[in-house]
């Protein structure tokens, strides 16, 4: 079946630290891969995506590379800020009955201290 | 307004009440989704509508009843809920048929069942 496994949280870092949140997936076919972010009290926002192997998605200093050989899509940022504190969700898309479905990981809560 | 909007943002109801959640998308999409987000659990896909037809119902109890009167609006009718139904209910939309399969989320309705 299709599933996404994320790094267990919570993760706490100091400002300007390097961030990695691991994500691995199991899927039939060739899914698209996503990172969504949820700030406190809000819904999910698309952070970045990649649609095929070796694609790199990037946004707001975050990046992730679609690695088919390791079935991974790890999220990285070189220097985090307090404003990056949020919950991060890795997801893959699969075609359902007439519409695509997103399968989410459990989420990783990130806290950045000043 | 732009994007995906949801009303109300917060709702408290008793187990015998009947209420409805509303979602509206202003993106010209043709597919809409309801998700449930509970504490410490991955996001659960509840219903999918594509071209105003329900294409997926993930074993959701009948006390949840979706309605999609047109491609821009989606409702979730609630009746005789249980306390364990307390959660954040998220609506999303996407454009089916394109290579880009991104779902865009609303801010959610925080539901508390007493």
């Amino acid at each position: 079946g299709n599933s996404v496994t994320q790094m267990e949280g919570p993760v706490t870092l100091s400002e300007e630290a390097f961030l990695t949140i691991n994500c691995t997936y199991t899927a039939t076919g060739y899914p698209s891969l996503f990172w969504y972010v949820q700030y406190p009290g809000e819904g999910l926002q698309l952070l970045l995506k990649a649609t095929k192997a070796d694609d790199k998605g990037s946004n707001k200093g975050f990046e992730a590379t679609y690695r088919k050989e390791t079935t991974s899509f790890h999220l990285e940022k070189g220097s985090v800020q307090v404003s990056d504190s949020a919950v991060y969700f890795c997801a893959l898309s699969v075609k359902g009955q007439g519409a695509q479905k997103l399968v989410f990981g459990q989420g990783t809560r990130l806290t950045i201290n000043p | 307004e732009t994007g995906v909007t949801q009303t109300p943002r917060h709702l408290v109801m008793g187990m015998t009440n009947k209420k409805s959640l509303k979602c509206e998308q202003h993106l010209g999409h043709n597919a809409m989704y309801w998700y449930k987000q509970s504490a410490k659990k991955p996001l659960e896909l509840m219903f999918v509508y594509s071209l105003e037809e329900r294409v997926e119902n993930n074993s959701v109890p009948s006390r949840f009843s979706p309605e999609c009167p047109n491609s821009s609006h989606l409702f979730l009718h609630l009746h005789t809920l249980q306390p364990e139904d307390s959660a954040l209910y998220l609506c999303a939309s996407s454009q089916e048929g394109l290579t880009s399969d991104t779902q865009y989320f609303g801010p959610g309705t925080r539901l508390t069942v007493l």
Side-chain angles (χ1 to χ4, degrees):
Chain A
N2 301 300
S3 66
V4 175
T5 302
Q6 273 183 247
M7 175 177 176
E8 287 283 336
V11 174
T12 302
L13 295 172
S14 298
E15 205 166 19
E16 299 183 4
F18 184 85
L19 168 71
T20 300
I21 301 178
N22 290 338
C23 172
T24 57
Y25 68 91
T26 303
T28 53
Y30 303 97
S32 295
L33 300 174
F34 304 81
W35 277 100
Y36 280 86
V37 58
Q38 186 175 32
Y39 297 103
E42 298 184 15
L44 275 68
Q45 300 176 25
L46 177 67
L47 181 59
L48 52 86
K49 63 181 283 189
T51 58
K52 60 183 188 298
D54 300 325
D55 268 3
K56 178 185 284 189
S58 61
N59 185 26
K60 298 181 181 180
F62 291 90
E63 57 182 36
T65 301
Y66 190 141
R67 301 286 188 199
K68 186 169 179 289
E69 63 277 10
T70 54
T71 62
S72 65
F73 193 56
H74 304 321
L75 182 68
E76 296 182 336
K77 186 174 184 180
S79 177
V80 292
Q81 306 299 314
V82 173
S83 57
D84 294 327
S85 298
V87 181
Y88 292 81
F89 294 90
C90 185
L92 62 83
S93 71
V94 294
K95 191 67 174 178
Q97 302 170 14
Q100 61 103 1
K101 294 169 48 177
L102 283 177
V103 176
F104 286 91
Q106 72 270 34
T108 302
R109 182 174 299 277
L110 173 67
T111 302
I112 306 300
N113 295 320
Chain B
E1 292 198 68
T2 58
V4 181
T5 58
Q6 291 186 242
T7 54
R9 293 293 307 274
H10 301 272
L11 178 62
V12 179
M13 59 188 288
M15 289 191 286
T16 57
N17 291 158
K18 290 184 180 181
K19 297 286 184 183
S20 296
L21 310 185
K22 178 182 176 182
C23 175
E24 184 173 0
Q25 60 95 1
H26 309 268
L27 300 170
H29 289 165
N30 58 13
M32 297 186 77
Y33 309 77
W34 279 118
Y35 289 86
K36 177 182 179 182
Q37 186 178 28
S38 305
K40 301 181 180 178
K41 291 177 69 175
L43 271 80
E44 302 171 59
L45 178 63
M46 300 175 72
F47 301 103
V48 181
Y49 277 82
S50 179
L51 300 174
E52 300 157 41
E53 286 192 26
R54 191 190 314 179
V55 297
E56 187 134 357
N57 176 348
N58 279 354
S59 303
V60 179
S62 59
R63 57 185 183 269
F64 295 91
S65 174
E67 179 190 2
C68 187
N70 55 61
S71 60
S72 299
H73 294 86
L74 184 66
F75 295 89
L76 188 62
H77 304 299
L78 317 171
H79 64 98
T80 59
L81 295 190
Q82 304 299 311
E84 60 264 29
D85 297 322
S86 298
L88 182 68
Y89 289 84
L90 293 165
C91 173
S93 70
S94 69
Q95 182 63 23
E96 293 303 304
L98 297 181
T99 54
S100 171
D101 46 6
T102 303
Q103 289 186 19
Y104 294 86
F105 285 78
T109 294
R110 173 69 63 186
L111 174 67
T112 303
V113 181
L114 301 177

mmCIF file of all heavy atoms in Angstrom, chain A residues 3 17 24 35 48 56 72 75 87 111 114:
data_model
loop_
_atom_site.group_PDB
_atom_site.id
_atom_site.type_symbol
_atom_site.label_atom_id
_atom_site.label_comp_id
_atom_site.label_asym_id
_atom_site.label_seq_id
_atom_site.Cartn_x
_atom_site.Cartn_y
_atom_site.Cartn_z
ATOM 1 N N SER A 3 2.140 4.655 1.897
ATOM 2 C CA SER A 3 2.324 5.191 3.247
ATOM 3 C C SER A 3 3.496 6.156 3.275
ATOM 4 O O SER A 3 4.364 6.132 2.405
ATOM 5 C CB SER A 3 2.553 4.059 4.252
ATOM 6 O OG SER A 3 3.772 3.406 3.999
ATOM 7 N N ALA A 17 20.269 27.352 13.249
ATOM 8 C CA ALA A 17 20.735 25.961 13.150
ATOM 9 C C ALA A 17 20.311 25.365 11.817
ATOM 10 O O ALA A 17 19.425 25.875 11.125
ATOM 11 C CB ALA A 17 20.166 25.145 14.299
ATOM 12 N N THR A 24 10.315 9.189 4.507
ATOM 13 C CA THR A 24 10.414 8.088 3.559
ATOM 14 C C THR A 24 9.015 7.639 3.188
ATOM 15 O O THR A 24 8.059 7.854 3.943
ATOM 16 C CB THR A 24 11.212 6.900 4.130
ATOM 17 O OG1 THR A 24 10.594 6.472 5.346
ATOM 18 C CG2 THR A 24 12.649 7.286 4.412
ATOM 19 N N TRP A 35 5.709 18.662 0.786
ATOM 20 C CA TRP A 35 5.823 19.082 2.179
ATOM 21 C C TRP A 35 4.798 20.198 2.394
ATOM 22 O O TRP A 35 4.774 21.192 1.648
ATOM 23 C CB TRP A 35 7.217 19.599 2.514
ATOM 24 C CG TRP A 35 8.180 18.510 2.839
ATOM 25 C CD1 TRP A 35 9.128 17.966 2.030
ATOM 26 C CD2 TRP A 35 8.297 17.813 4.089
ATOM 27 N NE1 TRP A 35 9.813 16.964 2.675
ATOM 28 C CE2 TRP A 35 9.330 16.863 3.946
ATOM 29 C CE3 TRP A 35 7.648 17.908 5.326
ATOM 30 C CZ2 TRP A 35 9.720 16.003 4.988
ATOM 31 C CZ3 TRP A 35 8.024 17.070 6.347
ATOM 32 C CH2 TRP A 35 9.048 16.124 6.177
ATOM 33 N N LEU A 48 6.474 22.978 -0.474
ATOM 34 C CA LEU A 48 7.177 22.666 -1.711
ATOM 35 C C LEU A 48 6.725 21.302 -2.216
ATOM 36 O O LEU A 48 6.098 20.549 -1.484
ATOM 37 C CB LEU A 48 8.706 22.693 -1.522
ATOM 38 C CG LEU A 48 9.298 21.867 -0.395
ATOM 39 C CD1 LEU A 48 9.538 20.441 -0.831
ATOM 40 C CD2 LEU A 48 10.621 22.475 0.077
ATOM 41 N N LYS A 56 14.069 18.666 -7.404
ATOM 42 C CA LYS A 56 14.259 19.344 -6.122
ATOM 43 C C LYS A 56 13.193 20.411 -5.997
ATOM 44 O O LYS A 56 13.088 21.289 -6.857
ATOM 45 C CB LYS A 56 15.645 19.970 -6.024
ATOM 46 C CG LYS A 56 15.876 20.721 -4.715
ATOM 47 C CD LYS A 56 17.220 21.443 -4.703
ATOM 48 C CE LYS A 56 18.351 20.489 -4.470
ATOM 49 N NZ LYS A 56 19.643 21.203 -4.250
ATOM 50 N N SER A 72 12.924 8.514 -0.517
ATOM 51 C CA SER A 72 12.971 9.540 0.512
ATOM 52 C C SER A 72 12.705 10.919 -0.068
ATOM 53 O O SER A 72 12.857 11.155 -1.282
ATOM 54 C CB SER A 72 14.341 9.525 1.207
ATOM 55 O OG SER A 72 15.360 9.881 0.298
ATOM 56 N N LEU A 75 13.351 16.976 4.201
ATOM 57 C CA LEU A 75 13.252 18.435 4.188
ATOM 58 C C LEU A 75 14.478 19.032 4.873
ATOM 59 O O LEU A 75 14.850 18.590 5.963
ATOM 60 C CB LEU A 75 11.982 18.884 4.916
ATOM 61 C CG LEU A 75 11.706 20.378 4.944
ATOM 62 C CD1 LEU A 75 11.370 20.885 3.541
ATOM 63 C CD2 LEU A 75 10.565 20.703 5.910
ATOM 64 N N VAL A 87 4.202 22.858 12.444
ATOM 65 C CA VAL A 87 4.175 21.408 12.229
ATOM 66 C C VAL A 87 4.348 21.147 10.735
ATOM 67 O O VAL A 87 3.671 21.782 9.915
ATOM 68 C CB VAL A 87 2.863 20.786 12.733
ATOM 69 C CG1 VAL A 87 2.885 19.271 12.519
ATOM 70 C CG2 VAL A 87 2.648 21.110 14.207
ATOM 71 N N THR A 111 10.111 23.484 16.824
ATOM 72 C CA THR A 111 10.175 24.695 17.631
ATOM 73 C C THR A 111 11.569 25.283 17.508
ATOM 74 O O THR A 111 12.557 24.572 17.711
ATOM 75 C CB THR A 111 9.866 24.408 19.112
ATOM 76 O OG1 THR A 111 8.560 23.818 19.215
ATOM 77 C CG2 THR A 111 9.915 25.684 19.931
ATOM 78 N N PRO A 114 14.943 31.450 20.120
ATOM 79 C CA PRO A 114 15.818 32.574 19.757
ATOM 80 C C PRO A 114 17.188 32.440 20.398
ATOM 81 O O PRO A 114 17.370 31.722 21.377
ATOM 82 C CB PRO A 114 15.085 33.814 20.283
ATOM 83 C CG PRO A 114 13.966 33.328 21.108
ATOM 84 C CD PRO A 114 13.781 31.871 20.903
#
